[in-house]
């Protein structure tokens, strides 16, 4: 259940981060994709910029903490399934696959999204921005497809329990 809640939280965080990244690049006006425009309106739409209040200090503290719990929890799920022989059933292998997908989301997507949210602009360059968005879509889709496979497996076992 914890893994499911973490993947739902990751999907929501990823969707809002892409929205923030898009708004940073659109409010820039300079065309370099850095989000640090030189016009009079630079800062509007950027967290901590001149266009809005910065009341998200608690989010800045909780983001690294939640990423740490995500990574640690998913590693513990993988270790538990790997070391305990009785857990090596097909349903639990789906859970291990979901944990690995969520581990990739936490390490490849949320880390850079957290830096982007903390600083208020993208510092890693335009090329890595495209790569990061591809990682975000790929890892989030893998997590969602794992959830679909788990629900289909549970449905089959409920419908035909003796199988």
């Amino acid at each position: 259940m914890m893994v499911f809640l973490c993947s739902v939280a990751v999907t929501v965080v990823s969707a809002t981060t892409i929205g923030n990244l898009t708004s940073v690049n659109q409010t820039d006006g300079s065309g370099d994709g850095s989000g640090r425009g030189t016009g009079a309106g630079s800062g509007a739409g950027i967290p901590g910029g001149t266009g809005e209040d910065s009341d998200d200090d608690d989010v800045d503290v909780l983001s690294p903490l939640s990423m740490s719990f995500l990574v640690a929890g998913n590693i513990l799920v993988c270790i538990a399934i790997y070391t305990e022989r009785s857990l090596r059933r097909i349903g639990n292998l789906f859970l291990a696959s979901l944990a690995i997908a969520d581990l990739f989301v936490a390490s490849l997507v949320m880390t850079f999204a957290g830096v982007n949210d903390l600083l208020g602009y993208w510092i890693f360059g335009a090329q890595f921005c495209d790569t990061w968005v591809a990682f975000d879509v790929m890892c989030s889709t893998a997590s969602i497809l794992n959830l679909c496979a788990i629900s289909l497996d549970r449905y089959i076992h409920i419908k035909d329990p003796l199988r």
Side-chain angles (χ1 to χ4, degrees):
M1 184 66 178
M2 181 64 173
V3 175
F4 172 73
L5 293 175
C6 291
S7 29
V8 169
V10 166
T11 306
V12 170
V13 167
S14 298
T16 57
T17 303
I18 288 176
N20 288 344
L21 185 61
T22 305
S23 68
V24 166
N25 285 335
Q26 288 176 353
T27 59
D28 176 351
S30 65
D32 65 351
S34 67
R36 294 173 277 177
T38 56
S42 68
I46 299 174
T50 58
E52 65 183 53
D53 297 334
S54 65
D55 290 334
D56 21 317
D57 292 335
D58 54 343
V59 175
D60 295 343
V61 172
L62 292 178
S63 293
L65 187 64
S66 67
M67 284 186 286
S68 300
F69 280 131
L70 257 168
V71 169
N74 286 317
I75 288 174
L76 286 175
V77 167
C78 292
I79 289 173
I81 292 173
Y82 180 74
T83 58
E84 186 64 35
R85 189 170 212 79
S86 64
L87 292 177
R88 291 187 203 162
R89 289 182 283 161
I90 193 72
N92 290 337
L93 293 180
F94 285 137
L95 288 176
S97 178
L98 177 65
I100 291 170
D102 287 343
L103 186 64
F104 284 152
V105 169
S107 60
L108 294 175
V109 177
M110 289 182 65
T111 306
F112 300 104
V115 171
N116 180 48
D117 288 343
L118 287 174
L119 295 178
Y121 59 93
W122 186 257
I123 64 169
F124 301 108
Q127 179 71 27
F128 188 70
C129 179
D130 293 337
T131 306
W132 175 77
V133 170
F135 280 151
D136 188 13
V137 170
M138 179 180 62
C139 295
S140 298
T141 302
S143 181
I144 292 168
L145 290 176
N146 275 306
L147 288 172
C148 291
I150 290 169
S151 63
L152 183 63
D153 179 59
R154 300 284 163 90
Y155 171 75
I156 290 170
H157 285 292
I158 289 171
K159 187 168 176 3
D160 191 12
L162 299 177
R163 195 169 166 191

